[in-house]
Amino acid sequence: MEIVSIGLLVVTIIIFIAHGLLRYLDSLHMFQQNVYDTNRYFGWLVNHTEKSLPFLDILPLFIWLIVYFYPSINTVISLLVITALFYSLQSFLLFQKKRGYVKLPLVMTPRVWRMVLTSSLILIIIS
């Protein structure tokens, strides 16, 4: 039973990282569309909160509060499966949306690579 829960945790973490990467690339694409102007980009974020920070991305965090109050192994395994399925569905929907019309695709310029490297280093330091 413990091996199953550890396996599910690893799968959930991998799916969560993949989903986060898709969200990051989507945000980076919008930043590029806004000509790397932070004022213009933050204006876009405020005006498009349903795209920039959808409630469905935050929902699993609230679900995990249940683990805090009911820390049984069955609850943890169930929530790992639910979270993995949830983020898989969210990533699939985001990928399907991106396959449609895009004004200009994300271009991996040296500036974008520097931003990816910098944010990755910050994430590693914080972790």
PDB file of all heavy atoms in Angstrom, residues 103-123:
ATOM      1  N   LYS A 103      -2.217  34.152 -32.628  1.00  0.00           N
ATOM      2  CA  LYS A 103      -1.848  35.327 -33.400  1.00  0.00           C
ATOM      3  C   LYS A 103      -0.406  35.222 -33.901  1.00  0.00           C
ATOM      4  O   LYS A 103      -0.139  35.344 -35.087  1.00  0.00           O
ATOM      5  CB  LYS A 103      -2.014  36.571 -32.526  1.00  0.00           C
ATOM      6  CG  LYS A 103      -1.761  37.868 -33.233  1.00  0.00           C
ATOM      7  CD  LYS A 103      -2.058  39.024 -32.300  1.00  0.00           C
ATOM      8  CE  LYS A 103      -1.806  40.344 -32.973  1.00  0.00           C
ATOM      9  NZ  LYS A 103      -2.079  41.455 -32.068  1.00  0.00           N
ATOM     10  N   LEU A 104       0.522  34.993 -32.994  1.00  0.00           N
ATOM     11  CA  LEU A 104       1.912  34.739 -33.325  1.00  0.00           C
ATOM     12  C   LEU A 104       2.412  33.652 -32.377  1.00  0.00           C
ATOM     13  O   LEU A 104       2.154  33.715 -31.177  1.00  0.00           O
ATOM     14  CB  LEU A 104       2.774  35.992 -33.139  1.00  0.00           C
ATOM     15  CG  LEU A 104       2.545  37.149 -34.098  1.00  0.00           C
ATOM     16  CD1 LEU A 104       3.316  38.367 -33.642  1.00  0.00           C
ATOM     17  CD2 LEU A 104       2.955  36.769 -35.504  1.00  0.00           C
ATOM     18  N   PRO A 105       3.118  32.659 -32.881  1.00  0.00           N
ATOM     19  CA  PRO A 105       3.606  31.611 -31.974  1.00  0.00           C
ATOM     20  C   PRO A 105       4.737  32.121 -31.086  1.00  0.00           C
ATOM     21  O   PRO A 105       5.376  33.129 -31.388  1.00  0.00           O
ATOM     22  CB  PRO A 105       4.101  30.525 -32.932  1.00  0.00           C
ATOM     23  CG  PRO A 105       4.430  31.239 -34.188  1.00  0.00           C
ATOM     24  CD  PRO A 105       3.475  32.395 -34.264  1.00  0.00           C
ATOM     25  N   LEU A 106       4.973  31.417 -29.992  1.00  0.00           N
ATOM     26  CA  LEU A 106       6.082  31.747 -29.110  1.00  0.00           C
ATOM     27  C   LEU A 106       7.388  31.484 -29.844  1.00  0.00           C
ATOM     28  O   LEU A 106       7.611  30.392 -30.363  1.00  0.00           O
ATOM     29  CB  LEU A 106       6.022  30.902 -27.832  1.00  0.00           C
ATOM     30  CG  LEU A 106       7.168  31.085 -26.849  1.00  0.00           C
ATOM     31  CD1 LEU A 106       7.185  32.499 -26.290  1.00  0.00           C
ATOM     32  CD2 LEU A 106       7.061  30.081 -25.719  1.00  0.00           C
ATOM     33  N   VAL A 107       8.237  32.493 -29.900  1.00  0.00           N
ATOM     34  CA  VAL A 107       9.533  32.374 -30.554  1.00  0.00           C
ATOM     35  C   VAL A 107      10.593  32.311 -29.461  1.00  0.00           C
ATOM     36  O   VAL A 107      10.650  33.184 -28.600  1.00  0.00           O
ATOM     37  CB  VAL A 107       9.798  33.578 -31.494  1.00  0.00           C
ATOM     38  CG1 VAL A 107      11.154  33.466 -32.154  1.00  0.00           C
ATOM     39  CG2 VAL A 107       8.696  33.688 -32.531  1.00  0.00           C
ATOM     40  N   MET A 108      11.398  31.265 -29.489  1.00  0.00           N
ATOM     41  CA  MET A 108      12.411  31.075 -28.456  1.00  0.00           C
ATOM     42  C   MET A 108      13.661  31.894 -28.803  1.00  0.00           C
ATOM     43  O   MET A 108      14.661  31.380 -29.281  1.00  0.00           O
ATOM     44  CB  MET A 108      12.749  29.588 -28.297  1.00  0.00           C
ATOM     45  CG  MET A 108      11.577  28.745 -27.824  1.00  0.00           C
ATOM     46  SD  MET A 108      10.868  29.304 -26.265  1.00  0.00           S
ATOM     47  CE  MET A 108      12.104  28.777 -25.118  1.00  0.00           C
ATOM     48  N   THR A 109      13.570  33.174 -28.528  1.00  0.00           N
ATOM     49  CA  THR A 109      14.682  34.090 -28.769  1.00  0.00           C
ATOM     50  C   THR A 109      15.685  33.974 -27.617  1.00  0.00           C
ATOM     51  O   THR A 109      15.381  33.374 -26.580  1.00  0.00           O
ATOM     52  CB  THR A 109      14.157  35.534 -28.846  1.00  0.00           C
ATOM     53  OG1 THR A 109      13.571  35.870 -27.583  1.00  0.00           O
ATOM     54  CG2 THR A 109      13.138  35.702 -29.962  1.00  0.00           C
ATOM     55  N   PRO A 110      16.881  34.558 -27.772  1.00  0.00           N
ATOM     56  CA  PRO A 110      17.828  34.543 -26.642  1.00  0.00           C
ATOM     57  C   PRO A 110      17.253  35.165 -25.373  1.00  0.00           C
ATOM     58  O   PRO A 110      17.542  34.723 -24.266  1.00  0.00           O
ATOM     59  CB  PRO A 110      19.026  35.343 -27.174  1.00  0.00           C
ATOM     60  CG  PRO A 110      18.973  35.156 -28.656  1.00  0.00           C
ATOM     61  CD  PRO A 110      17.505  35.084 -28.985  1.00  0.00           C
ATOM     62  N   ARG A 111      16.417  36.175 -25.544  1.00  0.00           N
ATOM     63  CA  ARG A 111      15.794  36.813 -24.380  1.00  0.00           C
ATOM     64  C   ARG A 111      14.875  35.834 -23.658  1.00  0.00           C
ATOM     65  O   ARG A 111      14.852  35.767 -22.431  1.00  0.00           O
ATOM     66  CB  ARG A 111      15.014  38.045 -24.833  1.00  0.00           C
ATOM     67  CG  ARG A 111      14.426  38.832 -23.707  1.00  0.00           C
ATOM     68  CD  ARG A 111      13.758  40.073 -24.241  1.00  0.00           C
ATOM     69  NE  ARG A 111      13.505  41.010 -23.176  1.00  0.00           N
ATOM     70  CZ  ARG A 111      13.090  42.240 -23.354  1.00  0.00           C
ATOM     71  NH1 ARG A 111      12.909  42.687 -24.582  1.00  0.00           N
ATOM     72  NH2 ARG A 111      12.862  43.034 -22.341  1.00  0.00           N
ATOM     73  N   VAL A 112      14.091  35.074 -24.413  1.00  0.00           N
ATOM     74  CA  VAL A 112      13.194  34.085 -23.810  1.00  0.00           C
ATOM     75  C   VAL A 112      14.009  33.006 -23.100  1.00  0.00           C
ATOM     76  O   VAL A 112      13.678  32.597 -21.987  1.00  0.00           O
ATOM     77  CB  VAL A 112      12.269  33.471 -24.887  1.00  0.00           C
ATOM     78  CG1 VAL A 112      11.488  32.305 -24.326  1.00  0.00           C
ATOM     79  CG2 VAL A 112      11.332  34.523 -25.434  1.00  0.00           C
ATOM     80  N   TRP A 113      15.091  32.551 -23.713  1.00  0.00           N
ATOM     81  CA  TRP A 113      15.930  31.540 -23.074  1.00  0.00           C
ATOM     82  C   TRP A 113      16.531  32.062 -21.767  1.00  0.00           C
ATOM     83  O   TRP A 113      16.633  31.324 -20.784  1.00  0.00           O
ATOM     84  CB  TRP A 113      17.041  31.070 -24.017  1.00  0.00           C
ATOM     85  CG  TRP A 113      16.546  30.093 -25.031  1.00  0.00           C
ATOM     86  CD1 TRP A 113      16.456  30.295 -26.377  1.00  0.00           C
ATOM     87  CD2 TRP A 113      16.056  28.764 -24.808  1.00  0.00           C
ATOM     88  NE1 TRP A 113      15.935  29.187 -26.997  1.00  0.00           N
ATOM     89  CE2 TRP A 113      15.686  28.224 -26.055  1.00  0.00           C
ATOM     90  CE3 TRP A 113      15.879  27.986 -23.676  1.00  0.00           C
ATOM     91  CZ2 TRP A 113      15.172  26.946 -26.200  1.00  0.00           C
ATOM     92  CZ3 TRP A 113      15.368  26.705 -23.815  1.00  0.00           C
ATOM     93  CH2 TRP A 113      15.019  26.203 -25.062  1.00  0.00           C
ATOM     94  N   ARG A 114      16.930  33.343 -21.747  1.00  0.00           N
ATOM     95  CA  ARG A 114      17.455  33.925 -20.498  1.00  0.00           C
ATOM     96  C   ARG A 114      16.376  33.965 -19.422  1.00  0.00           C
ATOM     97  O   ARG A 114      16.643  33.688 -18.250  1.00  0.00           O
ATOM     98  CB  ARG A 114      18.004  35.328 -20.757  1.00  0.00           C
ATOM     99  CG  ARG A 114      19.339  35.354 -21.457  1.00  0.00           C
ATOM    100  CD  ARG A 114      19.975  36.743 -21.420  1.00  0.00           C
ATOM    101  NE  ARG A 114      19.118  37.804 -21.919  1.00  0.00           N
ATOM    102  CZ  ARG A 114      19.063  38.215 -23.171  1.00  0.00           C
ATOM    103  NH1 ARG A 114      19.808  37.620 -24.091  1.00  0.00           N
ATOM    104  NH2 ARG A 114      18.267  39.194 -23.530  1.00  0.00           N
ATOM    105  N   MET A 115      15.141  34.302 -19.808  1.00  0.00           N
ATOM    106  CA  MET A 115      14.052  34.331 -18.827  1.00  0.00           C
ATOM    107  C   MET A 115      13.749  32.929 -18.310  1.00  0.00           C
ATOM    108  O   MET A 115      13.505  32.748 -17.112  1.00  0.00           O
ATOM    109  CB  MET A 115      12.792  34.962 -19.447  1.00  0.00           C
ATOM    110  CG  MET A 115      12.908  36.453 -19.611  1.00  0.00           C
ATOM    111  SD  MET A 115      11.366  37.264 -20.068  1.00  0.00           S
ATOM    112  CE  MET A 115      11.144  36.726 -21.741  1.00  0.00           C
ATOM    113  N   VAL A 116      13.765  31.934 -19.183  1.00  0.00           N
ATOM    114  CA  VAL A 116      13.528  30.551 -18.767  1.00  0.00           C
ATOM    115  C   VAL A 116      14.628  30.094 -17.813  1.00  0.00           C
ATOM    116  O   VAL A 116      14.359  29.498 -16.769  1.00  0.00           O
ATOM    117  CB  VAL A 116      13.427  29.609 -19.991  1.00  0.00           C
ATOM    118  CG1 VAL A 116      13.466  28.162 -19.573  1.00  0.00           C
ATOM    119  CG2 VAL A 116      12.169  29.909 -20.784  1.00  0.00           C
ATOM    120  N   LEU A 117      15.893  30.387 -18.155  1.00  0.00           N
ATOM    121  CA  LEU A 117      17.014  30.002 -17.306  1.00  0.00           C
ATOM    122  C   LEU A 117      16.947  30.698 -15.944  1.00  0.00           C
ATOM    123  O   LEU A 117      17.111  30.055 -14.903  1.00  0.00           O
ATOM    124  CB  LEU A 117      18.343  30.327 -17.999  1.00  0.00           C
ATOM    125  CG  LEU A 117      19.603  30.010 -17.214  1.00  0.00           C
ATOM    126  CD1 LEU A 117      19.720  28.505 -16.999  1.00  0.00           C
ATOM    127  CD2 LEU A 117      20.820  30.544 -17.917  1.00  0.00           C
ATOM    128  N   THR A 118      16.657  31.988 -15.947  1.00  0.00           N
ATOM    129  CA  THR A 118      16.575  32.741 -14.700  1.00  0.00           C
ATOM    130  C   THR A 118      15.445  32.231 -13.811  1.00  0.00           C
ATOM    131  O   THR A 118      15.640  32.018 -12.615  1.00  0.00           O
ATOM    132  CB  THR A 118      16.372  34.241 -14.992  1.00  0.00           C
ATOM    133  OG1 THR A 118      17.426  34.689 -15.835  1.00  0.00           O
ATOM    134  CG2 THR A 118      16.360  35.047 -13.711  1.00  0.00           C
ATOM    135  N   SER A 119      14.273  32.025 -14.389  1.00  0.00           N
ATOM    136  CA  SER A 119      13.161  31.540 -13.575  1.00  0.00           C
ATOM    137  C   SER A 119      13.408  30.121 -13.076  1.00  0.00           C
ATOM    138  O   SER A 119      13.010  29.773 -11.963  1.00  0.00           O
ATOM    139  CB  SER A 119      11.846  31.634 -14.347  1.00  0.00           C
ATOM    140  OG  SER A 119      11.916  30.853 -15.512  1.00  0.00           O
ATOM    141  N   SER A 120      14.091  29.303 -13.878  1.00  0.00           N
ATOM    142  CA  SER A 120      14.426  27.946 -13.427  1.00  0.00           C
ATOM    143  C   SER A 120      15.399  27.986 -12.264  1.00  0.00           C
ATOM    144  O   SER A 120      15.244  27.238 -11.283  1.00  0.00           O
ATOM    145  CB  SER A 120      15.039  27.134 -14.570  1.00  0.00           C
ATOM    146  OG  SER A 120      14.137  27.019 -15.620  1.00  0.00           O
ATOM    147  N   LEU A 121      16.407  28.855 -12.345  1.00  0.00           N
ATOM    148  CA  LEU A 121      17.350  28.982 -11.236  1.00  0.00           C
ATOM    149  C   LEU A 121      16.671  29.492  -9.969  1.00  0.00           C
ATOM    150  O   LEU A 121      16.955  28.995  -8.873  1.00  0.00           O
ATOM    151  CB  LEU A 121      18.498  29.921 -11.634  1.00  0.00           C
ATOM    152  CG  LEU A 121      19.487  29.370 -12.650  1.00  0.00           C
ATOM    153  CD1 LEU A 121      20.490  30.444 -13.053  1.00  0.00           C
ATOM    154  CD2 LEU A 121      20.202  28.150 -12.095  1.00  0.00           C
ATOM    155  N   ILE A 122      15.785  30.437 -10.117  1.00  0.00           N
ATOM    156  CA  ILE A 122      15.048  30.951  -8.951  1.00  0.00           C
ATOM    157  C   ILE A 122      14.195  29.833  -8.343  1.00  0.00           C
ATOM    158  O   ILE A 122      14.153  29.677  -7.123  1.00  0.00           O
ATOM    159  CB  ILE A 122      14.192  32.176  -9.336  1.00  0.00           C
ATOM    160  CG1 ILE A 122      15.106  33.366  -9.639  1.00  0.00           C
ATOM    161  CG2 ILE A 122      13.196  32.525  -8.229  1.00  0.00           C
ATOM    162  CD1 ILE A 122      14.389  34.551 -10.232  1.00  0.00           C
ATOM    163  N   LEU A 123      13.546  29.056  -9.183  1.00  0.00           N
ATOM    164  CA  LEU A 123      12.729  27.954  -8.692  1.00  0.00           C
ATOM    165  C   LEU A 123      13.581  26.918  -7.961  1.00  0.00           C
ATOM    166  O   LEU A 123      13.187  26.394  -6.907  1.00  0.00           O
ATOM    167  CB  LEU A 123      11.966  27.299  -9.845  1.00  0.00           C
ATOM    168  CG  LEU A 123      11.007  26.187  -9.493  1.00  0.00           C
ATOM    169  CD1 LEU A 123       9.885  26.711  -8.590  1.00  0.00           C
ATOM    170  CD2 LEU A 123      10.428  25.565 -10.735  1.00  0.00           C
TER     171      LEU A 123
END
